[in-house]
């Protein structure tokens, strides 16, 4: 048995970490926000940098001993600016939610109005949803998708922008399978004198790899996580135009956070170096090609896909016509080692905890080298399982086929 330094101290946790690694190796991971970080990214995340404190920014820290940390953070920021063509980068946000909150802190006063995509239509919790800090401290007016084609309703966005004169328009989504027209959002923001924040957390890797248009030329500030399609460590990042650099930096520290997680900063730097390689462009193109193939396979089995398909890494299935809820389907799929999440669909009559849909993503399976033929096979398996959500023996049998497939495609980093 492979052992780790954890075994000597805490065999219980060591065993659980080992089991999780085995799970990640064995299952088909179709959660749209997950991926496999490389061994290099994992090594940086687990490095001695976890021992360091470094409140402040390179050259302006509150603690000593920063000679190497300063270099690491400067390199991470420079790589982010170069990869995405941004004026300024802040790599300190702990993840996507603090990154968004820092952007609001930099650009808004409490009580100001923001115009953002509603959670049930594909937006993120931190885009002003009422139970979050963003919905508590700011006045969030929300847009959504059209009922007929489930694409962003730009007529509604423009009408709400003109009516409410928001100080900030937020675009970007967590469950939207189509290309986001950042230029159109910028046009509307300009018409009403609003600033534009683009949250590219889900698509950052596609943007880096040239498989989705970039929001950077259009948005005042761009927020992102670093671990979804971008395939880095769990972290966050803010990119902005030069005029917002000071406000963004002040908002992250000391506005919202204390010491940055230097081990994460180093791992972000490594991931950004990986994302600048030709191989990463191939990966980004393959993620999109795989999502298209999976969508095509699902459509051939009569699945109803939100917006009719996908342009990116993500597919949202409305299971209403199959007579199965999202939660029941996700549970049945997991019994066959196909892991995804139940998800609301636009205009969902069901409650968020047991919604009408499931969300699938192709980043992680692409990182382990699966191609379009495998996607068609996965679509067939999904159809078989959803048609018989209570058939435990069938699920166990298909699970064996799933594990035979994953065994042929080693998981990176593990
Ligand atoms: N939890 C992430 C997702 O799954 O999209 C967003 O924060």
């Amino acid at each position: 048995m492979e052992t780790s330094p954890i075994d000597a101290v805490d065999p219980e946790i060591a065993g659980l970490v080992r089991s999780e690694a085995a799970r990640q190796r064995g299952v088909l991971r179709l959660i749209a926000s997950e991926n496999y970080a490389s061994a290099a990214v994992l090594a940086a995340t687990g490095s001695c940098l976890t021992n360091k404190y470094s409140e402040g920014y390179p050259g302006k820290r509150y603690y000593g001993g920063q000679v190497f940390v300063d270099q690491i953070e400067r390199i991470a920021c420079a790589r982010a600016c170069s990869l995405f063509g941004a004026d300024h980068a802040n790599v300190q946000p702990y993840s996507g939610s603090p990154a968004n909150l820092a952007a609001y802190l930099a650009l808004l006063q409490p009580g100001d109005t923001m115009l953002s995509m509603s959670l049930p239509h594909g937006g993120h919790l931190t885009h002003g949803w009422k139970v979050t800090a963003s919905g508590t401290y700011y006045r969030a007016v929300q847009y959504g998708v059209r009922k007929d084609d489930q694409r962003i309703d730009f007529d509604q966005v423009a009408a709400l922008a003109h009516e409410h004169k928001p100080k900030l328009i937020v675009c970007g989504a967590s469950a939207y399978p189509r290309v986001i027209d950042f230029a159109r959002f910028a046009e509307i923001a300009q018409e009403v004198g609003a600033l534009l924040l683009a949250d590219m957390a889900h698509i950052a890797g596609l943007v880096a790899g040239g498989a989705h248009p970039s929001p950077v030329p259009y948005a005042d500030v761009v927020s992102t996580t670093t671990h979804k399609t971008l395939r880095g460590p769990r972290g966050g990042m803010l990119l902005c135009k030069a005029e917002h650099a000071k406000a963004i930096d002040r908002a992250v520290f000391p506005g919202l956070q204390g010491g940055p997680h230097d081990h994460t900063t180093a791992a972000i730097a490594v991931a950004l170096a990986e994302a600048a390689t030709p191989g990463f462009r191939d990966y980004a193109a393959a993620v999109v090609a795989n999502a298209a193939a999976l969508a095509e396979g699902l459509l051939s089995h009569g699945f109803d896909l939100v917006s009719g398909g996908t342009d990116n890494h993500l597919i949202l299935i409305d299971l209403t016509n199959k007579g199965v809820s999202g939660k029941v389907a996700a549970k049945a799929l997991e019994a066959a080692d196909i892991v995804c999440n139940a998800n609301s669909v636009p205009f969902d009559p069901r409650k968020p905890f047991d919604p009408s849909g499931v969300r699938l993503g192709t980043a992680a399976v692409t990182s382990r080298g699966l191609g379009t033929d495998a996607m068609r096979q996965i679509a067939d398996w999904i159809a078989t399982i959803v048609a018989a959500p209570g058939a435990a023996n069938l699920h166990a049998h298909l699970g064996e086929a799933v594990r035979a497939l994953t065994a042929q495609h080693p998981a990176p980093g593990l």
Side-chain angles (χ1 to χ4, degrees):
M1 182 182 75
E2 179 198 336
T3 58
S4 81
I6 310 171
D7 284 280
V9 178
D10 191 338
E12 188 180 11
I13 291 297
L16 290 169
V17 172
R18 220 178 349 262
S19 298
E20 172 61 12
R23 188 194 69 81
Q24 290 187 17
R25 282 191 197 101
V27 305
L28 277 171
R29 298 172 61 226
L30 295 177
I31 292 180
S33 46
E34 294 187 357
N35 211 330
Y36 292 96
S38 69
V41 166
L42 292 177
T45 306
S47 71
C48 64
L49 289 156
T50 203
N51 299 335
K52 190 69 196 107
Y53 252 123
S54 49
E55 276 93 336
Y57 290 99
K60 285 174 284 176
R61 306 280 193 188
Y62 290 80
Y63 294 72
Q66 307 292 348
V67 59
F68 303 113
V69 164
D70 275 6
Q71 292 178 61
I72 289 167
E73 188 169 334
R74 281 199 177 102
I75 290 170
C77 291
R79 286 181 184 167
C81 288
S82 152
L83 184 66
F84 291 105
D87 294 346
H88 178 74
N90 186 311
V91 295
Q92 294 194 6
Y94 298 142
S95 199
S97 298
N100 283 340
L101 209 49
Y104 303 145
L105 194 60
L107 304 176
L108 299 174
Q109 294 299 318
D112 278 349
T113 300
M114 68 163 82
L115 175 59
S116 49
M117 192 166 185
S118 79
L119 177 68
H121 283 221
H124 190 251
L125 272 168
T126 58
H127 297 175
W129 193 242
K130 44 193 178 291
V131 298
T132 71
S134 61
T136 305
Y137 295 111
Y138 307 102
R139 181 176 164 262
V141 176
Q142 303 233 280
Y143 61 84
V145 298
R146 290 184 291 257
K147 202 157 193 176
D148 53 352
D149 63 358
Q150 296 149 333
R151 311 261 179 151
I152 291 172
D153 184 347
F154 278 105
D155 291 341
Q156 185 195 30
V157 177
L160 290 172
H162 283 273
E163 183 187 342
H164 294 279
K165 301 277 184 296
K167 193 154 171 198
L168 180 70
I169 296 180
V170 184
C171 58
S174 284
Y176 184 68
R178 295 297 178 177
V179 162
I180 296 177
D181 186 350
F182 296 116
R184 182 76 188 105
F185 274 109
E187 226 172 70
I188 296 171
Q190 202 169 19
E191 281 167 24
V192 300
L195 294 165
L196 183 64
L197 168 68
D199 179 343
M200 65 167 183
H202 263 266
I203 56 169
L206 306 184
V207 171
H212 189 290
S214 173
V216 173
Y218 302 105
D220 295 278
V221 178
V222 174
S223 65
T224 186
T225 51
T226 50
H227 48 269
K228 297 187 174 85
T229 52
L230 191 55
R231 214 161 59 179
R234 296 301 284 245
M237 200 160 68
L238 286 161
L239 308 172
C240 66
K241 306 241 179 271
E243 71 231 57
H244 300 297
K246 265 197 184 142
I248 285 291
D249 284 353
R250 251 191 253 123
V252 174
F253 174 83
L256 195 65
Q257 298 186 172
H261 293 174
D262 299 316
H263 53 301
T264 303
T265 304
I268 289 173
V270 172
L272 292 170
E274 291 175 345
T277 59
F280 195 88
R281 289 186 84 79
D282 296 343
Y283 147 79
V287 169
V288 172
N290 276 343
L294 183 56
E296 201 182 297
L298 292 166
L299 287 169
S300 75
H301 286 288
F303 281 100
D304 179 8
L305 306 188
V306 168
S307 83
T310 181
D311 300 325
N312 57 24
H313 64 301
L314 182 155
I315 293 163
L316 204 50
I317 310 180
D318 183 342
L319 292 162
T320 308
N321 68 346
K322 300 285 183 187
V324 179
S325 79
K327 209 168 166 185
V328 167
K331 207 167 159 222
L333 289 165
E334 186 155 3
D337 283 342
I338 298 175
V339 186
C340 65
N341 64 283
N343 213 100
S344 294
V345 298
F347 309 99
D348 202 329
R350 298 179 65 90
K351 297 261 183 274
F353 199 64
D354 187 12
S356 298
V358 291
R359 188 185 66 161
L360 310 176
T362 53
V365 289
T366 304
S367 289
R368 67 189 302 163
L370 294 173
T372 51
D373 287 346
M375 297 306 120
R376 282 184 273 274
Q377 171 66 82
I378 293 169
D380 293 347
W381 285 333
I382 292 174
T384 306
I385 293 161
V386 168
N393 288 345
L394 173 72
H395 303 161
H397 177 67
L398 289 182
E400 281 167 27
V402 165
R403 282 188 297 280
L405 177 66
T406 54
Q408 290 164 26
H409 297 272
L414 303 176

